[in-house]
Coordinates of all heavy atoms in Angstrom, one line a residue:
Y231 N -2.2 2.8 10.2 CA -2.2 4.3 10.1 C -3.4 5.0 10.8 O -3.4 6.2 11.2 CB -2.0 4.8 8.6 CG -0.6 4.6 8.2 CD1 -0.3 3.7 7.2 CD2 0.4 5.4 8.8 CE1 1.1 3.5 6.8 CE2 1.7 5.3 8.4 CZ 2.1 4.3 7.4 OH 3.3 4.2 7.0
W232 N -4.5 4.2 10.9 CA -5.6 4.8 11.7 C -5.1 5.0 13.2 O -5.4 6.0 13.8 CB -6.9 3.9 11.7 CG -8.0 4.5 12.4 CD1 -8.9 5.3 11.8 CD2 -8.4 4.4 13.7 NE1 -9.9 5.7 12.7 CE2 -9.6 5.2 14.0 CE3 -7.9 3.7 14.9 CZ2 -10.2 5.3 15.2 CZ3 -8.5 3.9 16.1 CH2 -9.7 4.7 16.3
D233 N -4.5 4.0 13.8 CA -3.9 4.1 15.1 C -2.9 5.3 15.1 O -2.9 6.0 16.1 CB -3.2 2.8 15.4 CG -4.0 1.7 15.7 OD1 -5.3 1.9 15.8 OD2 -3.5 0.6 16.1
R234 N -2.1 5.5 14.1 CA -1.0 6.4 14.2 C -1.5 7.8 13.8 O -0.9 8.8 14.4 CB 0.0 6.0 13.1 CG 1.3 6.7 13.1 CD 2.3 6.2 14.1 NE 3.5 7.0 14.1 CZ 4.7 6.6 13.7 NH1 4.8 5.4 13.0 NH2 5.8 7.3 13.8
L235 N -2.5 8.0 13.0 CA -2.8 9.3 12.5 C -4.2 9.8 12.9 O -4.4 11.1 12.9 CB -2.8 9.3 10.9 CG -1.6 8.8 10.3 CD1 -1.7 8.9 8.8 CD2 -0.3 9.6 10.7
V236 N -5.1 9.0 13.4 CA -6.4 9.4 13.7 C -6.8 9.2 15.2 O -7.3 10.1 15.9 CB -7.5 8.6 12.9 CG1 -8.9 9.0 13.2 CG2 -7.2 8.9 11.4
R237 N -6.5 8.0 15.7 CA -7.0 7.6 17.0 C -6.7 8.6 18.1 O -7.6 8.9 19.0 CB -6.4 6.3 17.4 CG -6.9 5.7 18.7 CD -6.1 4.4 19.1 NE -4.8 4.7 19.3 CZ -3.8 3.8 19.3 NH1 -4.1 2.6 19.0 NH2 -2.5 4.2 19.4
D238 N -5.5 9.2 18.2 CA -5.1 10.0 19.3 C -5.2 11.5 19.0 O -4.7 12.4 19.8 CB -3.7 9.7 19.8 CG -3.6 8.2 20.2 OD1 -4.5 7.8 20.9 OD2 -2.6 7.5 19.9
D239 N -5.7 11.9 17.9 CA -6.0 13.2 17.5 C -7.5 13.6 17.6 O -8.3 13.1 16.9 CB -5.5 13.4 16.0 CG -5.6 14.9 15.5 OD1 -6.5 15.6 15.9 OD2 -4.8 15.3 14.7
A240 N -7.8 14.3 18.7 CA -9.2 14.5 19.1 C -10.1 15.1 17.9 O -11.2 14.7 17.6 CB -9.3 15.4 20.3
E241 N -9.5 16.1 17.3 CA -10.2 16.8 16.2 C -10.4 15.8 15.0 O -11.5 15.7 14.4 CB -9.5 18.0 15.7 CG -10.2 18.8 14.5 CD -9.4 20.0 14.1 OE1 -8.3 20.2 14.6 OE2 -9.9 20.7 13.2
R242 N -9.3 15.2 14.6 CA -9.5 14.3 13.5 C -10.3 13.0 13.8 O -11.1 12.6 12.9 CB -8.0 13.8 13.0 CG -8.0 13.2 11.6 CD -6.6 13.2 11.1 NE -6.0 14.5 10.9 CZ -6.2 15.3 9.8 NH1 -7.0 14.8 8.8 NH2 -5.7 16.5 9.7
L243 N -10.3 12.6 15.0 CA -11.2 11.5 15.4 C -12.7 11.9 15.3 O -13.5 11.1 14.8 CB -10.9 11.0 16.8 CG -11.6 9.8 17.4 CD1 -11.5 8.6 16.5 CD2 -11.2 9.5 18.8
T244 N -13.0 13.1 15.7 CA -14.3 13.6 15.6 C -14.8 13.6 14.2 O -15.9 13.2 13.8 CB -14.5 15.0 16.2 OG1 -14.2 14.9 17.6 CG2 -15.9 15.6 16.1
Q245 N -13.9 14.1 13.3 CA -14.2 14.2 11.9 C -14.4 12.8 11.3 O -15.3 12.5 10.5 CB -13.1 14.9 11.1 CG -13.0 16.4 11.5 CD -11.7 17.0 11.1 OE1 -10.7 16.3 10.7 NE2 -11.6 18.3 11.0
F246 N -13.5 11.9 11.7 CA -13.6 10.5 11.3 C -15.0 9.9 11.6 O -15.6 9.3 10.8 CB -12.5 9.6 12.0 CG -12.7 8.1 11.8 CD1 -12.3 7.5 10.7 CD2 -13.3 7.4 12.9 CE1 -12.5 6.1 10.6 CE2 -13.6 6.1 12.7 CZ -13.1 5.4 11.6
R247 N -15.5 10.1 12.8 CA -16.7 9.5 13.2 C -17.9 10.2 12.5 O -18.9 9.5 12.2 CB -16.9 9.8 14.7 CG -16.1 8.9 15.6 CD -16.1 9.3 17.1 NE -15.2 8.3 17.8 CZ -14.8 8.5 19.1 NH1 -15.2 9.7 19.7 NH2 -14.0 7.7 19.7
Q248 N -17.8 11.4 12.1 CA -18.8 12.0 11.2 C -19.0 11.4 9.9 O -20.0 11.2 9.3 CB -18.6 13.5 11.1 CG -18.7 14.3 12.4 CD -18.2 15.7 12.3 OE1 -17.6 16.1 11.4 NE2 -18.4 16.6 13.3
L249 N -17.8 10.9 9.4 CA -17.8 10.3 8.0 C -18.0 8.8 8.0 O -18.7 8.2 7.2 CB -16.5 10.7 7.3 CG -16.4 12.1 6.8 CD1 -14.9 12.4 6.4 CD2 -17.3 12.3 5.6
F250 N -17.2 8.1 8.9 CA -17.2 6.7 8.8 C -18.1 6.0 9.9 O -18.4 4.8 9.8 CB -15.8 6.2 9.1 CG -14.8 6.6 8.0 CD1 -14.2 7.8 8.0 CD2 -14.5 5.7 7.0 CE1 -13.3 8.2 7.0 CE2 -13.6 6.0 6.0 CZ -13.0 7.2 6.0
G251 N -18.4 6.8 11.0 CA -19.2 6.2 12.1 C -18.4 6.0 13.3 O -17.2 6.3 13.3
D252 N -19.0 5.5 14.4 CA -18.3 5.4 15.7 C -17.6 4.1 15.8 O -18.3 3.0 15.9 CB -19.4 5.6 16.8 CG -18.7 5.8 18.1 OD1 -17.6 5.4 18.4 OD2 -19.4 6.5 19.0
E253 N -16.3 4.2 15.9 CA -15.5 2.9 16.0 C -15.6 2.2 17.3 O -15.2 1.1 17.4 CB -14.0 3.3 15.6 CG -13.3 3.7 16.8 CD -13.6 5.2 17.3 OE1 -14.4 5.8 16.6 OE2 -13.1 5.6 18.4
R254 N -16.3 2.8 18.2 CA -16.5 2.2 19.5 C -17.6 1.1 19.5 O -17.8 0.4 20.5 CB -16.8 3.3 20.6 CG -15.6 4.2 20.9 CD -16.0 5.4 21.8 NE -16.9 6.3 21.0 CZ -17.2 7.5 21.4 NH1 -16.9 7.9 22.6 NH2 -18.1 8.3 20.7
A255 N -18.3 1.0 18.4 CA -19.3 -0.1 18.3 C -18.5 -1.5 18.4 O -17.4 -1.5 18.0 CB -19.9 0.0 16.9
D256 N -19.2 -2.4 18.9 CA -18.7 -3.7 19.1 C -18.1 -4.3 17.8 O -18.8 -4.7 17.0 CB -19.7 -4.6 19.7 CG -19.2 -6.0 20.3 OD1 -18.3 -6.6 19.5 OD2 -19.5 -6.4 21.4
Y257 N -16.8 -4.5 17.8 CA -16.2 -4.9 16.5 C -16.4 -6.4 16.2 O -16.8 -6.8 15.1 CB -14.7 -4.6 16.6 CG -13.9 -5.2 15.3 CD1 -14.0 -4.4 14.1 CD2 -13.2 -6.3 15.3 CE1 -13.3 -4.9 13.0 CE2 -12.5 -6.8 14.2 CZ -12.6 -6.1 13.1 OH -12.0 -6.5 11.9
A258 N -16.2 -7.3 17.3 CA -16.4 -8.7 17.1 C -17.9 -9.0 16.7 O -18.2 -9.9 15.9 CB -16.1 -9.4 18.5
K259 N -18.9 -8.3 17.3 CA -20.3 -8.5 17.0 C -20.5 -8.1 15.5 O -21.2 -8.7 14.8 CB -21.1 -7.6 18.0 CG -22.6 -7.8 17.8 CD -23.4 -7.0 18.7 CE -24.9 -7.1 18.6 NZ -25.7 -6.3 19.5
A260 N -19.9 -6.9 15.1 CA -20.2 -6.5 13.8 C -19.6 -7.4 12.8 O -20.2 -7.7 11.7 CB -19.5 -5.1 13.6
L261 N -18.4 -8.0 13.1 CA -17.8 -8.9 12.1 C -18.6 -10.2 12.0 O -18.8 -10.7 10.9 CB -16.4 -9.2 12.6 CG -15.4 -9.9 11.7 CD1 -15.1 -8.9 10.5 CD2 -14.1 -10.3 12.4
K262 N -19.1 -10.7 13.2 CA -19.9 -11.9 13.2 C -21.2 -11.6 12.4 O -21.6 -12.5 11.5 CB -20.3 -12.3 14.6 CG -21.1 -13.5 14.7 CD -21.4 -13.9 16.2 CE -22.3 -15.2 16.3 NZ -22.5 -15.5 17.7
Q263 N -21.8 -10.5 12.5 CA -23.0 -10.1 11.8 C -22.8 -10.1 10.3 O -23.6 -10.6 9.5 CB -23.6 -8.8 12.3 CG -24.7 -8.3 11.5 CD -26.0 -9.1 11.7 OE1 -26.1 -9.8 12.7 NE2 -27.0 -9.0 10.8
H264 N -21.6 -9.6 9.9 CA -21.3 -9.4 8.5 C -21.2 -10.8 7.9 O -21.8 -11.1 6.8 CB -20.0 -8.7 8.3 CG -19.5 -8.6 6.9 ND1 -20.0 -7.9 5.9 CD2 -18.5 -9.4 6.2 CE1 -19.5 -8.0 4.8 NE2 -18.5 -9.0 4.9
Y265 N -20.5 -11.7 8.5 CA -20.3 -13.0 7.9 C -21.6 -14.0 8.0 O -21.7 -14.8 7.2 CB -19.1 -13.8 8.6 CG -17.8 -13.2 8.1 CD1 -16.9 -12.6 9.1 CD2 -17.4 -13.3 6.8 CE1 -15.7 -12.1 8.6 CE2 -16.2 -12.8 6.4 CZ -15.4 -12.2 7.3 OH -14.2 -11.6 6.9
L266 N -22.5 -13.6 8.9 CA -23.7 -14.3 9.0 C -24.8 -13.9 8.1 O -25.5 -14.6 7.3 CB -24.3 -14.3 10.4 CG -23.6 -15.2 11.5 CD1 -24.2 -14.9 12.9 CD2 -23.7 -16.7 11.2
A267 N -24.9 -12.5 8.0 CA -26.0 -11.9 7.2 C -25.6 -11.1 6.0 O -26.4 -10.8 5.2 CB -26.8 -11.0 8.1
G268 N -24.3 -10.9 5.8 CA -23.8 -10.1 4.7 C -24.0 -8.7 4.9 O -24.4 -8.2 5.9
P269 N -23.7 -7.8 3.8 CA -23.7 -6.4 4.0 C -25.2 -5.9 4.1 O -26.1 -6.6 3.6 CB -23.0 -5.9 2.7 CG -23.3 -7.0 1.8 CD -23.2 -8.3 2.5
P270 N -25.4 -4.7 4.6 CA -26.8 -4.2 4.7 C -27.3 -3.8 3.3 O -26.5 -3.6 2.4 CB -26.6 -3.0 5.6 CG -25.2 -2.5 5.4 CD -24.4 -3.8 5.2
Y271 N -28.7 -3.7 3.2 CA -29.2 -3.3 1.9 C -28.8 -1.9 1.6 O -28.7 -1.0 2.4 CB -30.8 -3.4 2.0 CG -31.5 -2.9 0.8 CD1 -31.6 -3.7 -0.3 CD2 -32.0 -1.6 0.8 CE1 -32.2 -3.3 -1.4 CE2 -32.7 -1.2 -0.3 CZ -32.8 -2.0 -1.5 OH -33.4 -1.5 -2.6
G272 N -28.5 -1.8 0.3 CA -28.1 -0.5 -0.2 C -26.7 0.0 0.1 O -26.3 1.2 0.0
W273 N -25.8 -1.0 0.5 CA -24.5 -0.6 0.9 C -23.7 0.0 -0.2 O -22.8 0.9 0.0 CB -23.7 -1.8 1.4 CG -23.5 -2.9 0.3 CD1 -24.2 -4.0 0.1 CD2 -22.4 -2.9 -0.6 NE1 -23.7 -4.7 -1.0 CE2 -22.5 -4.1 -1.4 CE3 -21.3 -2.1 -0.9 CZ2 -21.7 -4.4 -2.4 CZ3 -20.4 -2.5 -1.8 CH2 -20.6 -3.6 -2.7
Q274 N -24.1 -0.3 -1.4 CA -23.3 0.2 -2.6 C -23.4 1.7 -2.7 O -22.5 2.3 -3.4 CB -23.9 -0.4 -3.9 CG -23.8 -1.9 -4.0 CD -25.0 -2.6 -3.6 OE1 -25.8 -2.1 -2.7 NE2 -25.3 -3.8 -4.1
T275 N -24.3 2.4 -2.1 CA -24.5 3.8 -2.2 C -23.7 4.5 -1.1 O -23.5 5.8 -1.2 CB -26.0 4.3 -2.1 OG1 -26.4 3.9 -0.7 CG2 -26.8 3.6 -3.1
R276 N -23.1 3.8 -0.2 CA -22.4 4.5 0.9 C -21.0 3.9 1.2 O -20.2 4.6 1.8 CB -23.2 4.2 2.3 CG -24.5 4.9 2.3 CD -25.3 4.6 3.6 NE -25.7 3.2 3.6 CZ -25.7 2.5 4.8 NH1 -25.3 3.0 5.9 NH2 -26.1 1.2 4.8
F277 N -20.7 2.7 0.7 CA -19.4 2.2 1.0 C -18.7 1.8 -0.3 O -19.3 1.5 -1.3 CB -19.6 0.9 1.9 CG -20.2 1.2 3.2 CD1 -21.6 1.0 3.3 CD2 -19.5 1.7 4.3 CE1 -22.2 1.2 4.6 CE2 -20.2 2.0 5.5 CZ -21.5 1.7 5.6
I278 N -17.3 1.7 -0.2 CA -16.5 1.4 -1.4 C -16.4 -0.1 -1.7 O -16.1 -0.5 -2.8 CB -15.0 2.0 -1.1 CG1 -14.4 2.4 -2.4 CG2 -14.2 1.0 -0.2 CD1 -13.2 3.3 -2.3
S279 N -16.8 -0.9 -0.7 CA -16.9 -2.4 -0.8 C -17.9 -2.9 0.1 O -18.2 -2.2 1.1 CB -15.5 -3.0 -0.7 OG -15.1 -3.0 0.7
S280 N -18.3 -4.1 0.0 CA -19.3 -4.7 1.0 C -18.6 -4.9 2.3 O -19.2 -4.7 3.3 CB -19.8 -6.0 0.4 OG -18.8 -7.0 0.2
Y281 N -17.3 -5.3 2.3 CA -16.6 -5.4 3.6 C -16.5 -4.2 4.4 O -16.4 -4.1 5.6 CB -15.3 -6.1 3.3 CG -14.6 -6.6 4.6 CD1 -15.2 -7.5 5.4 CD2 -13.4 -6.1 5.0 CE1 -14.6 -8.0 6.6 CE2 -12.8 -6.6 6.1 CZ -13.4 -7.5 6.9 OH -12.8 -7.9 8.1
A282 N -16.4 -3.0 3.7 CA -16.3 -1.7 4.3 C -17.5 -1.5 5.1 O -17.5 -0.7 6.1 CB -16.2 -0.7 3.2
S283 N -18.7 -2.1 4.9 CA -19.9 -1.8 5.7 C -19.9 -2.5 7.0 O -20.8 -2.3 7.8 CB -21.1 -2.3 4.8 OG -21.1 -3.7 4.7
T284 N -18.9 -3.3 7.2 CA -18.9 -4.2 8.5 C -18.8 -3.3 9.7 O -19.5 -3.5 10.7 CB -17.6 -5.2 8.4 OG1 -17.7 -5.9 7.3 CG2 -17.6 -6.0 9.7
H285 N -17.8 -2.3 9.7 CA -17.5 -1.6 10.9 C -16.8 -0.4 10.5 O -16.0 -0.4 9.5 CB -16.7 -2.4 11.9 CG -16.4 -1.9 13.2 ND1 -15.3 -1.0 13.4 CD2 -17.0 -2.0 14.4 CE1 -15.3 -0.6 14.7 NE2 -16.4 -1.2 15.3
P286 N -16.8 0.7 11.2 CA -16.0 1.9 10.8 C -14.5 1.7 10.6 O -13.9 2.2 9.8 CB -16.3 2.9 12.0 CG -17.6 2.5 12.4 CD -17.7 1.1 12.3
W287 N -13.9 0.8 11.4 CA -12.5 0.5 11.3 C -12.3 -0.2 9.9 O -11.3 0.2 9.1 CB -12.1 -0.5 12.3 CG -11.6 0.1 13.6 CD1 -11.2 1.4 13.8 CD2 -11.6 -0.6 14.9 NE1 -10.9 1.5 15.1 CE2 -11.1 0.4 15.8 CE3 -11.8 -1.9 15.3 CZ2 -10.9 0.1 17.1 CZ3 -11.6 -2.1 16.6 CH2 -11.2 -1.2 17.5
E288 N -13.2 -1.1 9.4 CA -13.1 -1.7 8.1 C -13.4 -0.8 7.0 O -12.8 -0.8 5.9 CB -13.9 -3.0 8.1 CG -13.5 -4.0 9.1 CD -12.0 -4.4 9.0 OE1 -11.4 -4.2 8.0 OE2 -11.5 -5.0 10.0
D289 N -14.3 0.2 7.2 CA -14.6 1.2 6.3 C -13.4 2.0 6.0 O -13.0 2.3 4.8 CB -15.7 2.0 6.7 CG -16.4 2.9 5.6 OD1 -15.9 2.8 4.4 OD2 -17.2 3.8 5.9

Side-chain angles (χ1 to χ4, degrees):
Y231 282 114
W232 187 87
D233 287 357
R234 189 84 183 253
L235 306 179
V236 177
R237 185 188 59 199
D238 301 321
D239 183 326
E241 179 182 4
R242 199 164 292 278
L243 182 59
T244 298
Q245 295 166 340
F246 166 85
R247 288 171 179 167
Q248 291 170 348
L249 284 168
F250 293 85
D252 193 335
E253 83 290 349
R254 292 169 293 188
D256 189 316
Y257 178 77
K259 182 179 178 180
L261 198 64
K262 182 179 180 180
Q263 175 66 19
H264 173 79
Y265 285 117
L266 285 176
Y271 176 78
W273 65 265
Q274 298 94 333
T275 64
R276 295 179 289 142
F277 300 98
I278 208 160
S279 70
S280 63
Y281 191 60
S283 69
T284 304
H285 185 274
W287 275 338
E288 297 305 340
D289 193 6

